[in-house]
Amino acid sequence: MDVFDGNQHMVYGNYFFNDCDTPAARKVSGTAGHSADLHPCLYCETVLIDVGKLDLYHPQDTSYNVLQLQLMLTSAFFSREALPQRQSAILKNHGVCWSVMNDIPNSGPVLHTALDFMHNVFLGVIAHFFTAVLFAAHMLPGAGGINSAKNRFENLINSIRWPSHVTQLPKNMGENHSLKKADEWRCLLTVTPVLLWYTWRDDHDDLPDSAPTISPNKKISTNHSRNRRKLYKAALLLCAGVRLPATRTITLLQAQAVLLVINHHLSIHLYDMVRLYGPVYGWWLFAFERFNGMFEKVNHTGHDGSQMESTLLRNW
């Protein structure tokens, strides 16, 4: 290890676990991506075409057993010496390729790879619920003028006085439905129960047991129910399901209660993540993303050969 005094020093460390967003975690571990047909999930044998099947979301033990984990590691070592065509076949059929991390004793493609809660839940599941379930189904129509669901949704968000240390939501949420940061989705979920009730309530402060009307020129591409009362119940369950594992302390019994895209399936493995690595509050990637934002502001030449890395480390 090179240090500033020019001398080399022996350092000792231990590889605890691989904690990245899902695409990066798969690259580091040498495993198939989350859009792979046969091995989209790193922790069980689910195939991509079955992600939407409801029976996969009931509590069950679908994790790999010891023999399957050993087969994956063996396949990874075969991939190291194989020709490119054979490597592609191993990746497709077994979901692994060679990674230098496999040289670490007692390591493997699955055993030391965590599922990051921030990216999986806030940027995956929560973003999908709002964009693909609510916004895409026109659950906040603009019909009705100043008293429309869209205006009530946006006005209530704009009226919220957030603490200074909390991420602020955009002022045009009625029009701009895309949030870029996980912390923004996290804040939006915090007020979702009150927000949806205020947006959909009728003159008697009840939630209508029906779908909202939309303009004739609007087209709906989704097939799910647009019943406001049913979607509100689903939103409450989602809020509770996220609130439990996102606390600073959690029991394994609470984690097991956290039961449809690939992020929905991956989230059923959160119980295993809590059992292996403890409360997600201690290892989610909010701090890392904040550091990435700090690094983006550092001026550098963009030259390789370790020059750019040295500039970033000196600034740090």
Side-chain angles (χ1 to χ4, degrees):
M1 177 179 180
D2 294 331
V3 293
F4 285 109
D5 61 11
N7 298 320
Q8 290 188 345
H9 298 264
M10 180 68 72
V11 295
Y12 298 90
N14 182 32
Y15 173 53
F16 186 36
F17 63 91
N18 168 21
D19 189 17
C20 310
D21 59 45
T22 298
R26 301 298 176 86
K27 290 181 180 179
V28 173
S29 61
T31 50
H34 60 284
S35 59
D37 291 332
L38 299 181
H39 300 279
C41 180
L42 183 60
Y43 312 102
C44 70
E45 296 182 283
T46 299
V47 295
L48 191 62
I49 197 173
D50 291 338
V51 165
K53 294 183 177 180
L54 294 180
D55 57 351
L56 288 178
Y57 296 88
H58 295 295
Q60 56 183 324
D61 186 10
T62 60
S63 302
Y64 287 121
N65 58 41
V66 175
L67 292 179
Q68 291 169 317
L69 294 176
Q70 185 61 44
L71 176 60
M72 293 180 67
L73 186 58
T74 302
S75 300
F77 274 89
F78 276 127
S79 178
R80 177 171 60 172
E81 306 297 339
L83 297 175
Q85 186 175 1
R86 178 57 178 160
Q87 289 177 341
S88 299
I90 292 175
L91 180 62
K92 178 180 179 180
N93 296 326
H94 299 281
V96 293
C97 61
W98 173 249
S99 168
V100 70
M101 307 304 288
N102 294 327
D103 272 333
I104 300 176
N106 298 319
S107 183
V110 177
L111 292 178
H112 293 83
T113 301
L115 173 65
D116 174 56
F117 188 89
M118 186 193 79
H119 289 90
N120 172 245
V121 174
F122 293 120
L123 289 176
V125 176
I126 305 305
H128 179 271
F129 177 74
F130 277 94
T131 57
V133 177
L134 297 184
F135 298 148
H138 298 286
M139 295 303 300
L140 307 174
I146 193 173
N147 198 38
S148 66
K150 183 181 74 173
N151 281 344
R152 283 194 285 187
F153 179 83
E154 185 172 293
N155 291 338
L156 182 59
I157 290 180
N158 294 343
S159 68
I160 298 175
R161 299 179 63 182
W162 301 93
S164 59
H165 66 280
V166 173
T167 299
Q168 309 296 302
L169 293 175
K171 294 294 185 181
N172 59 339
M173 280 291 295
E175 295 288 346
N176 179 21
H177 298 154
S178 61
L179 298 177
K180 297 180 179 180
K181 297 181 178 180
D183 215 27
E184 292 176 330
W185 289 113
R186 184 185 179 192
C187 288
L188 182 59
L189 189 71
T190 303
V191 297
T192 291
V194 175
L195 181 61
L196 292 183
W197 173 81
Y198 181 81
T199 300
W200 291 337
R201 67 190 176 101
D202 58 20
D203 294 336
H204 303 287
D205 286 341
D206 291 327
L207 287 176
D209 193 13
S210 61
T213 57
I214 60 173
S215 303
N217 61 334
K218 298 291 186 181
K219 295 183 179 180
I220 299 177
S221 57
T222 58
N223 297 321
H224 62 77
S225 171
R226 297 182 64 248
N227 184 288
R228 284 169 286 192
R229 188 173 294 180
K230 291 181 179 178
L231 287 178
Y232 186 76
K233 290 181 179 179
L236 291 181
L237 292 174
L238 180 60
C239 292
V242 174
R243 178 70 178 87
L244 282 174
T247 53
R248 298 194 181 192
T249 59
I250 186 173
T251 66
L252 292 181
L253 183 61
Q254 290 172 325
Q256 196 171 24
V258 182
L259 300 181
L260 284 144
V261 295
I262 187 61
N263 274 309
H264 291 95
H265 169 76
L266 290 175
S267 66
I268 70 174
H269 296 288
L270 286 172
Y271 171 79
D272 295 324
M273 299 298 111
V274 171
R275 179 174 58 84
L276 289 171
Y277 310 121
V280 297
Y281 182 86
W283 47 272
W284 62 18
L285 295 180
F286 279 105
F288 291 85
E289 292 297 326
R290 190 175 299 114
F291 296 152
N292 287 340
M294 295 168 59
F295 281 135
E296 289 178 353
K297 300 176 183 179
V298 177
N299 295 323
H300 55 78
T301 61
H303 293 167
D304 56 7
S306 299
Q307 296 185 34
M308 183 169 62
E309 291 87 344
S310 299
T311 300
L312 293 174
L313 287 175
R314 281 196 299 268
N315 182 272
W316 180 258

